[in-house]
Amino acid sequence: MTENDIRAALAPFNLKEMLEGVHVQGGLVQVTLAVKREEAPKFEALRREIEAKLSALPGVRNAAVVLTAQKAAPAQAPAAPQEVPLLPEVKAVIAVASGKGGVGKSTVAVNLAVALAQSGLKVGLLDADIYGPSLPRMLGLNRKPQVKDGKMLPLEAWGVRCMSIGFLVEEETAMVWRGPMVTGALNQMLAQVEWGALDVLVIDMPPGTGDVQLTLAQRAKLAGAVVVSTPQDIALIDARRGVKMFEQVRVPVLGIVENMSYFCCPNCQHRSDIFGHGGAAAEAARIGVPFLGEVPLLLEIRATGDAGTPVTASAPDSEAAKAFAGIAAQVRATLGKADQKTGPRISIE
């Protein structure tokens, strides 16, 4: 399946100047149509019809048609966009982020979401790491989501509604995508997923401080961010960059989590601070953000993650689960205070 094949399939629709772009990669197809923002609802039926036709083509595993606003004429001054809320039934969206990879961000995101669900909240979890999705393995999910009325239905595991690009492609598929395709996929997982009414949507952000992070901060109207780091200085340097990024886009930092904080030998109980200890707490105090807690380096956290049974769900009375529960309690309390001040819909203007 090539780009020319897709364009040939689109010919009967007579899209003319509406067709802004076609991207094809490994059986995944994205078509971008430029329409006026106020006319977008009138093209929804056409968008679904095109998606259905493209999805039925041999060799196409998933097809997405994205409507984007037409660019203003060069002579006109750019007007401030009036964004349609992507998640009208979601009370709060929080990001779990890190300045670098390898600090256990996804592990924290998954267990934080499960712990929030265990506390009685309706929780969703979005895997925004298009290049390295890990939620399918960590949640024990390996099936594709169903589609109803043009929207994907999130999968459910451990009391959490979940969505990941990993549900749509094979585990070993390399997502060799450029920025526009990644942004389109993220918009699709936000706007074209039937999340329903949620108290909290947790977004497992990709590592770093690039375009994807900025897009999500602006489009998802984040209520706050949790920054994950290990105690060592090299990880804390990158964590500072993550905090600074959220400050620049006016997203409050709910706090810092110190992951892999220490290791206790299960045989002799000797404690080893493999990556140092207390660095994240000291950094949180230095920059004036809350310290949410420390998560020890434990074999069961790794083992349950690989098995698709998060430790907060499979061993709720364990030391690890209690650590995540404590972090979740602080996050919930912080969101509750913000909710009392701003009303049921938390947003950052």
Side-chain angles (χ1 to χ4, degrees):
M1 182 57 59
T2 66
E3 179 178 331
N4 288 336
D5 295 329
I6 298 300
R7 289 184 179 273
L10 293 173
F13 292 98
N14 196 25
L15 299 175
K16 296 182 179 179
E17 296 181 359
M18 287 177 56
L19 184 59
E20 190 172 76
V22 174
H23 298 277
V24 180
Q25 179 70 45
L28 303 177
V29 177
Q30 179 178 303
V31 174
T32 305
L33 301 180
V35 300
K36 292 181 179 180
R37 191 178 305 278
E38 62 272 16
E39 295 181 355
K42 294 191 294 186
F43 289 95
E44 181 61 23
L46 175 63
R47 185 192 68 76
R48 293 181 183 178
E49 183 181 354
I50 296 173
E51 275 191 354
K53 180 170 181 178
L54 296 181
S55 298
L57 294 176
V60 174
R61 293 206 304 269
N62 186 64
V65 177
V66 180
L67 302 179
T68 63
Q70 290 181 327
K71 297 180 180 178
Q76 298 177 347
Q82 299 296 319
E83 296 286 358
V84 177
L86 283 178
L87 304 162
E89 295 185 273
V90 178
K91 293 181 181 178
V93 183
I94 63 174
V96 177
S98 64
K100 66 187 296 292
V103 297
K105 168 188 54 61
S106 293
T107 297
V108 172
V110 168
N111 284 283
L112 172 61
V114 174
L116 287 170
Q118 290 174 335
S119 73
L121 298 181
K122 295 180 180 178
V123 182
L125 179 60
L126 170 61
D127 186 354
D129 193 348
I130 300 297
Y131 297 114
S134 54
L135 257 61
R137 172 63 64 92
M138 299 184 74
L139 293 170
L141 297 171
N142 58 5
R143 63 186 185 275
K144 292 185 177 182
Q146 296 180 344
V147 178
K148 182 179 180 181
D149 297 330
K151 285 195 172 185
M152 290 184 289
L153 302 180
L155 303 184
E156 294 198 22
W158 315 109
V160 177
R161 300 173 192 171
C162 316
M163 181 54 61
S164 169
I165 194 70
F167 298 152
L168 305 175
V169 299
E170 298 297 328
E171 186 176 55
E172 297 181 1
T173 300
M175 308 302 290
V176 189
W177 286 3
R178 294 188 183 275
M181 288 192 72
V182 173
T183 302
L186 289 174
N187 282 329
Q188 184 181 11
M189 289 193 291
L190 286 169
Q192 296 180 27
V193 172
E194 189 58 61
W195 288 105
L198 294 176
D199 294 308
V200 181
L201 175 63
V202 178
I203 299 182
D204 180 14
M205 302 278 275
T209 56
D211 181 64
V212 171
Q213 288 79 0
L214 293 176
T215 297
L216 286 170
Q218 295 167 354
R219 294 285 284 143
K221 304 297 184 185
L222 297 178
V226 174
V227 178
V228 181
S229 179
T230 55
Q232 66 198 98
D233 290 342
I234 195 67
L236 290 169
I237 291 173
D238 293 305
R240 291 181 199 125
R241 296 190 182 104
V243 171
K244 290 295 183 183
M245 178 199 70
F246 287 115
E247 290 178 350
Q248 290 178 17
V249 295
R250 300 174 64 188
V251 172
V253 176
L254 303 179
I256 298 178
V257 173
E258 182 171 282
N259 196 28
M260 308 181 205
S261 184
Y262 57 88
F263 172 74
C264 281
C265 175
N267 296 319
C268 67
Q269 302 304 311
H270 173 73
R271 171 169 166 162
S272 298
D273 296 332
I274 297 176
F275 299 108
H277 181 260
E283 183 64 20
R286 188 186 72 82
I287 61 180
V289 300
F291 178 64
L292 298 177
E294 54 188 38
V295 179
L297 180 62
L298 294 172
L299 175 63
E300 61 184 334
I301 297 178
R302 191 277 304 165
T304 54
D306 286 349
T309 56
V311 70
T312 45
S314 57
D317 296 324
S318 64
E319 180 184 2
K322 290 178 180 178
F324 287 119
I327 294 168
Q330 291 196 65
V331 169
R332 179 172 183 175
T334 302
L335 290 177
K337 293 176 183 177
D339 191 50
Q340 293 173 6
K341 294 178 181 178
T342 63
R345 173 65 185 173
I346 302 175
S347 64
I348 306 301
E349 298 297 336

